[in-house]
């Protein structure tokens, strides 16, 4: 029994002893804990001095050196509240992660940390954190950097609750691109294997304000899956829009609304769905401050579905509904982003491009926009492939049909064209093709042109400052005209270079190609009426200069259209005959037209070196024609009679007949408005014969130049032979109200002997020497006939005369000779005076060319001639009949004895008065004698102081005596 009690006591004793010891141990532990807690609590303010211990511990936990700028701590609730400032993760340049945190606020759950033997935090707030992640390095070096695993463990397991605010995450992609995500506020909760973050974020390069999101994940750090959800309302996308759609137009609104879901599996995104709605974009119009004229675009709806496959992202953009200004269009797109970051986008459904044309205004100047709007282009986009690499290289391929645009003042319109576009980095090729279409050009040409075939290759090169378009391998083929142009255009200086050849075309088709706007209505009508026939064998058109600089008045460019016309006919003026049988080169240069030819014919006048020019193709255009001609006098006369000079120069040439070849320079000044034509020129006489048939005057070996301006004729310094004697001739002509007036001046220095030999050779024994003389003739040509007046004057110096007094003189004496005449086409009245003692008056009918009435007065005779025929009166102080008889007999003997009428017939009456006379060796005083010329004799009635008689001398007897 005692043994049993001893054993029982022993057990109770030991149990009590054990409990006692345990309570003592607990008490001791509580004391130790309390002391420890007190020690920790009271040591917290001094943690900053021992921060290197914390840095070493944390560096060991994350596997990388970590530096803390400052630590402040205090006890809060069930554990310490610690604030770490300026935390920096010290890594090598190859590290995939860099981290800086401006401020970290931590509330540690002391007991939970003790139980879990690791830090357990009830609150973990990160402010102004900057986390930079290099995706490429992370994939390649993941096992070498425990920092990644440590951070995952910290944020997914160790921290039950933490938040991040005012921070950014910088993601450096595999392709050296940087994406910055701004985190306004994120609250993160870890509950076992459920991890959820809710907050606001902003992608710096895309938006200016934040989007709410929820990241809901399940699993551990090795294997996570879940969903990322984001919703944006009225998100300002102006940074992204301004980056991808640069424009001079100010972006005044950029708001987008969307909902996004992303499925995550094994820490990777498996699919993305983005629903677009109610997105608005608006750019201010540079030319107008009115909001109504702004460029507006809106995304009304659409859905993007994307998923990864073989290291690429494939996506569809379905039912993208856009409104551009007032036009709505729905499109569907396919695309992908490969592992290099290259972007591919495809559209395979027909799309009318007219709806998107207003967006081109964002990349164009106001004047270019105005030009584009005036063209009203339309087209159908059948397919579009866009490929853009991460480095910025872009390739575009498009198939377009039903391409058309309206004509403008200077640009023709076309329709029904098809084209293929190939584009790479600002350089592209556009292949245009069209069949059986119409070139709308009736604003520039008289009517539109139907064509059978058209194709062209357009090569486009662009840069920041310039866009260049080069057009090659071009054909425009129509029944009217076929062209093969080459074109180059630069937008920087608006410079256009254009050249083309034109196939054979008939001149009669040219009126359909005259640009009325450029050359003016008068010029166009003139060319239509004047260029009547011919064949264009070849033609070239070039343009070098700024489009808006025409007509290049400062020589900053040139426009030329050159045509070779063969077998042409040009009716250059209605009052002139047509120019025929000529080959001409037509050159349109800027606003001028020049025609040159080496041959042509006006009636029978052959032209050489012909040139014609319209200096300015405008409303009041002027045509100047210069030509050299070779013809004879009759051919020139016929030409002038069918010209605008018919009533002036033509009529003059009818009175002046020129024989022999002539060289003529002709200039015509023709206002195309229909005003008066100006014709001027020169006629070169070389050894020509000039005849005035009405005056029975013949000029031989005529040399000199005759000039004319319309009806005004001028000739100075003409030299010719008149009656085998040289003369100098000047004349002018002009239209007067009475008719065409010609003034002629002739000068000569004649030898008298050759002159007398052609009239009365026997007189040469009486007259010798030479004398200067001048003649002035005024000729008027009214509508019918002519009128004239003339005066011849000579001092008769250097002339010797052995004729009876008063005709006798020595070479040293001056004996003025004055011949005046006036008349018309019927007759002339002539008066001749020699000194003071001789006067001749006569009437000369031109039909008979014989004086019908003529009287010669010698001495101071008051007797006037009476009746028809030639009469002589003389009043002399001394008279020796014998020398007078010899002179008169010489004159009578030289009269023609055939039926030809002499200019002056033998005198019919002679009246003589002499104070002293010697007749037949008989001296008579106070002689009064009358002699009458009958058909067979001379009848003399003689009265003197010494005798009075009547005497008859028969002509037959006189002939025998002679």
């Amino acid at each position: 029994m005692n043994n049993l009690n001893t054993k029982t006591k022993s057990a109770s004793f030991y149990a009590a002893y054990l409990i006692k010891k345990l309570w003592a141990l607990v008490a001791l532990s509580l004391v130790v804990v309390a002391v420890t807690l007190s020690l920790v609590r009271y040591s917290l303010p001094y943690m900053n001095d021992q921060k290197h211990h914390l840095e070493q511990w944390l560096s060991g936990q994350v596997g990388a050196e970590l530096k803390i700028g400052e630590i402040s701590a205090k006890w809060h609730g069930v554990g310490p509240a610690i604030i770490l400032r300026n935390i920096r993760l010290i890594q090598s340049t190859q590290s995939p992660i860099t981290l800086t945190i401006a401020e970290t606020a931590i509330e540690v759950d002391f007991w939970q940390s003790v139980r879990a033997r690791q830090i357990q935090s009830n609150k973990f707030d990160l402010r102004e954190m900057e986390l930079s992640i290099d995706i490429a390095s992370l994939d390649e070096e993941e096992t070498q950097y425990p920092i990644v695993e440590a951070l995952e463990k910290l944020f997914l397991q160790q921290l039950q609750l933490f938040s991040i605010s005012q921070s950014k995450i910088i993601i450096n992609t595999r392709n050296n691109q940087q994406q910055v995500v701004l985190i306004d506020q994120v609250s993160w909760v870890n509950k076992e294997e459920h991890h959820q973050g809710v907050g606001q974020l902003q992608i710096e390069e895309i938006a200016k304000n934040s989007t709410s999101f929820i990241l809901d994940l399940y699993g551990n750090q090795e294997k996570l899956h879940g969903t990322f959800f984001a919703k944006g309302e009225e998100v300002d996308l102006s940074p992204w829009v301004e980056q991808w759609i640069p424009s001079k137009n100010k972006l005044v609104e950029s708001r987008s609304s969307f909902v996004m879901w992303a499925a995550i599996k094994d820490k990777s995104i498996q699919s993305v769905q983005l629903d677009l709605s109610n997105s608005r974009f608006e750019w201010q119009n540079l030319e107008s401050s009115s909001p109504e004229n702004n460029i507006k675009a809106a995304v009304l709806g659409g859905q993007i579905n994307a998923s990864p496959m073989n290291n690429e992202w494939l996506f569809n953009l379905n039912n993208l509904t856009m409104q551009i200004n007032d036009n709505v269009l729905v499109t569907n797109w396919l695309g992908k982003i490969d592992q290099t970051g290259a972007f591919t986008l495809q559209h395979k459904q027909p799309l009318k491009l007219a709806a998107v044309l207003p967006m081109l205004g964002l990349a164009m100047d106001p004047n270019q926009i105005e030009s584009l709007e005036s063209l009203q282009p339309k087209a159908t986009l059948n397919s579009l492939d866009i490929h853009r690499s991460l480095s910025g290289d872009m390739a575009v391929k498009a198939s377009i049909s039903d391409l058309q645009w309206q004509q403008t003042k200077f640009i023709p319109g076309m329709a029904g064209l098809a084209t293929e576009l190939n584009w790479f980095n600002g350089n592209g090729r556009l292949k245009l093709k069209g069949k059986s279409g119409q070139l709308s050009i009736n604003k520039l040409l008289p009517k539109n042109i139907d064509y059978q075939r058209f194709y062209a290759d357009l090569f486009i090169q662009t840069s920041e400052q310039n866009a260049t378009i080069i057009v090659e391998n071009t054909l425009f083929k129509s029944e009217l005209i076929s062209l093969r142009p080459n074109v180059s255009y630069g937008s920087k200086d608006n410079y256009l270079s254009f050249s083309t050849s034109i196939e054979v075309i008939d001149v009669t088709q040219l009126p359909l190609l005259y640009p009325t706007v450029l050359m003016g209505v008068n010029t166009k009508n003139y060319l239509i009426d004047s260029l009547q026939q011919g064949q264009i064998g070849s033609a070239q058109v070039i343009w070098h200069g700024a489009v808006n600089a025409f007509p290049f008045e400062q020589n900053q460019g040139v426009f030329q259209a050159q045509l070779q016309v063969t077998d042409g006919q040009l009716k250059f003026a209605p009052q002139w005959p047509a120019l025929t049988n000529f080959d001409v080169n037509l050159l349109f240069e800027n606003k001028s037209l020049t025609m040159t030819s080496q041959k042509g014919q006006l009636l029978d006048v052959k032209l050489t070196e012909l040139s014609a020019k319209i200096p300015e193709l405008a409303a009041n255009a002027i045509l100047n024609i210069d030509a050299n001609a070779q013809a004879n006098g009759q051919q020139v006369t016929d030409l002038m009679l069918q010209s605008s000079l018919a009533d002036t120069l033509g009529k003059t040439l009818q009175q002046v007949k020129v024989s022999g070849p002539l060289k003529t320079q002709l200039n015509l000044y023709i206002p195309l408005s229909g005003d008066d034509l100006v014709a001027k020129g020169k006629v070169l006489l070389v050894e020509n014969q000039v005849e005035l048939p009405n005056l029975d005057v013949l000029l031989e070996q005529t040399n000199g130049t005759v000039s004319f301006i319309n009806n005004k004729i001028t000739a100075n310094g003409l030299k010719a032979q008149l009656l085998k004697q040289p003369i100098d001739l000047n004349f002018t002509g002009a239209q007067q109200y009475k008719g065409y007036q010609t003034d002629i001046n002739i000068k000569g220095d004649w030898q008298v002997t050759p002159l007398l030999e052609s009239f009365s050779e026997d007189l040469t024994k009486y007259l010798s020497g030479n004398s200067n003389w001048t003649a002035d003739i005024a000729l008027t040509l009214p509508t019918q006939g002519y009128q004239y007046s003339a005066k011849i004057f000579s001092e008769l110096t250097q002339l010797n005369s052995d004729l009876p007094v008063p005709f006798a003189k020595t070479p040293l004496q001056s004996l003025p000779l004055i011949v005046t005449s006036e008349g018309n086409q019927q007759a002339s009245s002539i008066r001749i005076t020699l000194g003071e003692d001789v006067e001749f008056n006569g009437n000369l009918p031109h039909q008979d060319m014989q004086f019908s009435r003529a009287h010669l007065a010698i001495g101071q005779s008051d007797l006037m001639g009476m009746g028809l025929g030639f009469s002589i009166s003389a009043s002399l102080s001394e008279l020796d009949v014998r020398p007078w008889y010899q002179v008169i007999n010489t004159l009578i003997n030289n009269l023609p004895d055939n039926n030809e009428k002499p200019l002056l017939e033998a005198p019919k009456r002679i009246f003589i008065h002499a104070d002293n006379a010697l007749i037949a060796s008989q001296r008579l005083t106070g002689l009064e004698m009358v002699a009458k010329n009958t058909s067979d004799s001379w009848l003399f009635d003689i009265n003197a102081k010494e005798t009075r008689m009547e005497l008859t001398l028969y002509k037959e007897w006189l002939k025998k005596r002679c």
Side-chain angles (χ1 to χ4, degrees):
M1 187 67 175
N2 290 329
N3 290 334
L4 180 61
N5 291 335
T6 301
K7 291 180 180 179
T8 304
K9 181 180 178 180
S10 177
S12 299
F13 173 80
Y14 286 111
Y17 180 79
L18 179 60
I19 292 171
K20 183 178 179 179
K21 294 299 182 181
L22 288 174
W23 278 111
L25 179 62
V26 169
L28 179 61
S29 298
L30 291 174
V31 171
V32 171
V33 170
V35 172
T36 302
L37 288 175
S38 298
L39 180 62
V40 170
R41 182 172 183 178
Y42 287 108
S43 65
L44 287 177
Y46 305 99
M47 285 188 67
N48 188 58
D49 296 332
Q50 305 298 322
K51 65 180 180 180
H52 59 281
H53 298 293
L54 182 59
E55 290 174 345
Q56 292 175 358
W57 181 81
L58 290 176
S59 297
Q61 293 296 314
V62 300
E65 184 180 1
L66 190 144
K67 293 292 184 180
I68 301 174
E70 180 185 0
I71 300 176
S72 61
K74 64 179 180 178
W75 192 267
H76 184 271
V78 295
I82 304 172
I83 297 177
L84 309 178
R85 293 184 177 88
N86 299 325
I87 299 175
R88 292 181 294 114
L89 188 64
I90 307 300
Q91 294 281 70
S92 65
T93 56
Q94 291 80 22
S95 175
I97 292 178
T98 60
L99 175 66
T100 61
I101 305 173
E103 182 177 290
T104 303
I106 306 172
E107 292 185 4
V108 179
D109 189 329
F110 181 82
W111 300 112
Q112 287 285 355
S113 300
V114 171
R115 286 195 298 269
R117 296 184 179 180
Q118 61 182 15
I119 296 177
Q120 299 291 323
S121 173
N122 294 325
K123 180 180 180 182
F124 199 93
D125 293 337
L126 306 177
R127 286 188 294 274
E128 298 183 31
M129 177 188 73
E130 184 173 310
L131 175 64
S132 178
I133 303 173
D134 191 302
I135 300 298
S137 299
L138 190 64
D139 290 344
E140 295 175 3
E141 308 293 344
E142 184 176 2
T143 58
Q144 298 182 16
Y145 291 91
I147 180 63
V148 177
E149 182 178 352
L151 290 177
E152 289 179 348
K153 184 178 180 180
L154 174 65
F155 289 117
L156 293 176
Q157 294 183 12
Q158 295 176 331
L159 300 178
Q160 281 76 37
L161 177 66
F162 68 88
S163 65
I164 302 174
S165 61
Q166 300 176 8
S167 301
K168 70 170 64 174
I169 300 175
I170 303 173
I171 302 173
N172 297 300
T173 68
R174 297 182 181 88
N175 304 292
N176 297 321
Q177 300 294 312
Q178 191 176 81
Q179 189 73 59
V180 179
V181 179
L182 303 178
I183 299 176
D184 294 341
Q185 177 68 41
V186 174
S187 297
W188 188 272
V189 177
N190 290 314
K191 189 175 182 180
E192 296 180 353
E193 291 192 354
H194 184 201
H195 318 281
Q196 187 179 76
V198 178
Q200 300 278 332
L201 62 80
Q202 170 189 344
I203 299 177
E204 188 176 54
E205 290 82 3
I206 295 179
K208 281 188 175 181
N209 54 355
S210 301
T211 300
S212 61
F213 73 91
I214 299 175
L215 178 58
D216 202 16
L217 299 176
Y218 294 89
N220 54 39
Q221 66 186 77
E222 300 296 333
K223 193 173 184 180
L224 290 173
H225 66 277
T227 303
F228 175 80
F229 172 83
K231 182 177 182 180
E233 293 184 355
E234 298 293 315
V235 177
D236 185 356
L237 298 181
S238 55
W240 181 81
V241 173
E242 289 174 344
Q243 177 186 359
W244 287 91
I245 311 178
S247 175
K248 295 179 181 179
N249 300 68
K250 181 181 179 181
L251 181 65
V252 296
E253 184 177 26
S254 173
R255 297 290 177 178
S256 178
S257 298
F258 61 86
V259 178
M260 176 183 174
W261 294 268
I264 300 173
K265 184 178 181 181
D266 296 332
K267 297 194 294 185
S268 298
I269 298 177
Q270 300 299 305
S271 64
V272 175
Q273 177 179 321
L274 180 64
D275 290 347
L276 305 173
S277 64
N278 192 27
S279 300
R280 305 180 308 281
F281 308 92
E282 184 174 348
W283 292 264
Q284 185 176 8
N285 191 309
L286 293 177
E287 293 293 296
S288 174
S289 59
S290 174
E292 296 179 356
N293 297 321
N294 288 351
I295 300 173
K296 300 177 182 179
V299 177
L300 305 180
Q303 185 179 87
I304 300 176
N305 295 287
S307 60
M309 180 178 292
N310 299 327
N311 294 324
E312 296 180 340
W313 275 90
L314 305 181
F315 62 88
N316 298 333
L317 178 53
N318 301 318
N319 297 321
L320 178 62
T321 305
M322 297 183 64
Q323 180 176 346
I324 301 174
N325 287 348
D326 296 327
N327 299 313
V328 177
L329 66 156
V330 180
T331 59
N332 293 280
W333 302 79
L334 302 175
K336 72 174 182 178
I337 301 175
D338 64 19
Q339 60 183 351
T340 66
F343 173 84
T344 300
L345 188 64
Q346 296 180 336
H347 186 276
K348 299 297 183 182
Q349 296 176 338
L351 173 65
K352 301 295 184 182
L353 293 179
V356 301
L357 285 180
M359 297 298 293
L360 294 179
L362 300 177
M364 303 173 70
D365 294 330
N367 58 334
Q368 295 174 325
I369 298 172
E370 184 178 355
S371 299
L372 183 65
E373 290 176 347
S374 65
L375 290 171
Q376 300 179 27
K378 297 179 181 179
T380 299
L381 178 66
N382 298 316
S383 65
L384 176 64
D385 292 273
I386 302 174
H387 181 82
R388 187 179 188 275
S389 69
L390 201 60
S391 61
D393 293 336
M394 177 174 286
V396 178
K397 184 176 181 180
S399 175
I400 300 172
S401 62
D402 298 327
L403 176 62
Q404 60 180 298
W405 62 86
Q406 299 295 318
Q407 67 169 314
T408 63
K409 185 176 180 180
F410 297 112
I411 301 177
M414 298 188 77
L417 300 180
T419 182
E420 294 179 359
L421 172 65
N422 290 280
W423 188 272
F424 181 75
N425 279 358
N427 301 314
R429 176 183 179 183
L430 197 65
K431 192 174 184 66
L432 291 172
K433 294 185 292 185
K435 290 184 178 180
S436 300
Q438 186 178 76
L439 184 70
S440 301
I441 198 170
N442 58 3
K443 291 183 178 180
L444 188 63
L445 302 183
K447 67 178 188 178
N448 298 329
I449 300 176
D450 294 326
Y451 63 88
Q452 289 73 50
R453 192 178 182 189
F454 169 73
Y455 58 78
D457 287 341
L458 277 70
F459 297 91
I460 305 170
Q461 301 174 346
T462 63
S463 64
E464 292 183 0
Q465 302 295 330
N466 188 35
T468 301
I469 301 174
I470 299 174
V471 184
E472 297 179 351
N473 188 31
T474 305
L475 173 65
F476 178 86
K477 187 174 184 61
S478 70
E479 294 182 356
L480 174 62
I481 188 172
S482 294
L483 307 174
R484 292 184 178 274
N486 291 310
V487 183
S488 175
Y489 172 77
S491 64
K492 182 178 180 180
D493 50 9
N494 208 20
Y495 191 92
L496 173 67
S497 177
F498 174 92
S499 65
T500 185
S501 60
I502 301 176
E503 297 182 0
V504 176
I505 183 174
D506 193 270
V507 165
T508 56
Q509 298 295 319
L510 281 182
L512 298 176
L513 300 174
Y514 291 147
T516 306
V517 175
L518 296 179
M519 65 172 48
V521 175
N522 292 334
T523 305
K524 172 192 169 183
N525 292 337
Y526 173 78
L527 291 175
I528 292 175
D529 295 337
S530 61
L531 199 55
Q532 297 178 337
Q533 69 180 44
Q535 192 77 14
I536 298 177
S538 65
Q540 297 287 331
V541 178
I542 64 171
W543 174 298
H544 292 292
V547 174
N548 55 358
F550 184 81
F552 309 119
E553 294 177 350
Q554 305 299 323
N555 296 320
Q556 66 272 48
V558 63
F559 162 72
Q560 289 183 344
Q562 188 169 7
L563 295 79
Q564 296 286 341
V565 181
T566 58
D567 298 327
Q569 177 171 309
L570 179 68
K571 182 72 171 177
F572 54 82
Q575 310 95 323
W576 286 74
L579 177 62
T580 60
N581 191 31
F582 81 120
D583 297 340
V584 64
N585 177 22
L586 273 71
L587 176 62
F588 293 87
E589 184 169 20
N590 297 339
K591 292 196 74 174
S592 69
L593 168 61
T594 302
M595 294 179 279
T596 57
S597 176
Q598 296 302 316
K599 73 168 189 174
Q601 200 163 326
L602 282 172
L603 295 181
D604 294 328
V605 176
K606 294 183 179 180
L607 303 181
T608 60
E609 299 179 6
L610 179 144
S611 66
K613 185 169 185 178
I614 301 176
E616 183 176 3
L617 296 170
N620 298 317
I622 303 296
L623 171 64
N624 288 306
I625 298 178
D626 292 293
N628 294 331
Q630 293 183 346
N632 58 41
Q634 186 58 48
Q635 291 170 339
V636 173
T637 300
D638 293 341
L639 172 62
M640 295 303 162
L641 287 173
Q642 295 190 42
S643 73
S644 60
L645 306 177
D647 294 334
T648 55
L649 183 58
K651 185 177 291 187
T652 301
L653 291 176
Q654 282 184 306
Q655 306 298 324
V656 181
K657 297 185 179 298
V658 182
S659 301
L662 294 174
K663 292 184 178 179
T664 303
Q665 297 176 356
L666 179 64
N667 173 265
L668 299 176
Y669 177 90
I670 306 173
L672 304 189
S673 60
D675 295 339
D676 293 338
L677 175 149
V678 177
K680 63 180 180 179
K682 296 179 180 180
V683 178
L684 182 61
L685 302 172
V686 180
E687 300 295 319
N688 293 95
Q689 179 176 293
V690 180
E691 181 182 4
L692 285 72
N694 289 331
L695 300 179
D696 197 18
V697 173
L698 178 63
L699 302 179
E700 297 178 305
Q701 300 178 14
T702 307
N703 293 278
T705 301
V706 179
S707 302
F708 62 89
I709 300 178
N710 280 356
N711 57 52
K712 296 181 179 180
I713 305 173
T714 303
N716 294 314
L718 289 182
K719 296 184 180 299
Q721 294 283 325
L722 175 61
L723 301 176
K724 307 299 182 180
Q725 300 280 340
I727 62 170
D728 292 332
L729 187 146
N730 301 302
F731 70 86
T732 60
Q735 183 67 36
Q736 304 293 337
Y737 73 96
K738 290 183 178 181
Y740 192 77
Q741 179 70 40
T742 302
D743 295 320
I744 304 170
N745 174 261
I746 303 174
K747 295 180 180 180
D749 185 4
W750 282 6
Q751 296 290 332
V752 70
T753 300
L755 181 63
L756 294 176
E757 287 176 349
S758 61
F759 289 96
S760 178
E761 187 175 358
D762 293 338
L763 287 177
T764 57
K765 60 186 178 183
Y766 298 104
L767 298 171
S768 62
N770 64 288
S771 181
N772 291 312
W773 61 275
T774 62
D776 293 298
I777 304 170
L779 176 65
T780 302
L781 300 173
T783 305
Q784 298 292 330
Y786 65 88
Q787 299 171 359
Y788 82 95
S789 63
K791 180 179 181 180
I792 301 173
F793 174 78
S794 176
E795 293 284 354
L796 296 182
T797 55
Q798 300 180 346
L799 177 69
N800 183 73
S801 175
D802 293 331
L803 293 172
V805 176
F807 296 97
K809 71 176 292 294
T810 67
L812 298 177
Q813 290 179 311
S814 173
L815 186 62
L817 172 66
I818 301 174
V819 180
T820 59
S821 176
E822 60 180 21
N824 51 33
Q825 71 276 10
Q826 296 176 345
S828 296
S829 175
I830 299 173
R831 179 174 182 266
I832 302 173
T833 62
L834 182 65
E836 297 179 353
D837 296 326
V838 179
E839 180 178 346
F840 173 86
N841 291 278
N843 293 326
L844 178 65
H846 295 164
Q847 184 175 358
D848 297 333
M849 283 308 294
Q850 186 179 69
F851 281 97
S852 60
R853 299 176 186 270
H855 182 76
L856 176 61
I858 301 173
Q860 301 300 317
S861 173
D862 294 330
L863 183 64
M864 299 297 296
M866 301 177 61
L868 298 175
F870 178 35
S871 61
I872 300 174
S873 65
S875 177
L876 303 171
S877 58
E878 296 290 337
L879 173 63
D880 186 351
V881 174
R882 181 176 179 81
W884 277 107
Y885 172 78
Q886 292 175 347
V887 172
I888 294 173
N889 190 51
T890 299
L891 292 173
I892 293 174
N893 289 336
N894 285 322
L895 293 176
D897 54 3
N898 50 26
N899 293 327
E900 183 180 353
K901 292 183 178 181
L903 179 64
L904 186 65
E905 64 179 354
K908 290 188 176 296
R909 296 169 298 279
I910 299 176
F911 304 93
I912 298 175
H913 168 79
D915 294 336
N916 296 289
L918 183 63
I919 301 176
S921 302
Q922 299 295 318
R923 181 170 296 279
L924 302 175
T925 58
L927 175 65
E928 298 286 342
M929 183 181 71
V930 177
K932 295 181 179 180
N933 184 4
T934 65
S935 60
D936 59 349
S937 62
W938 281 91
L939 302 178
F940 294 92
D941 185 0
I942 301 172
N943 289 304
K945 290 183 178 180
E946 290 79 10
T947 183
R948 179 185 179 88
M949 69 178 71
E950 291 182 354
L951 179 66
T952 299
L953 297 176
Y954 292 95
K955 294 179 180 180
E956 289 294 331
W957 179 79
L958 290 173
K959 288 181 180 180
K960 293 178 181 180
R961 295 280 297 176
C962 295

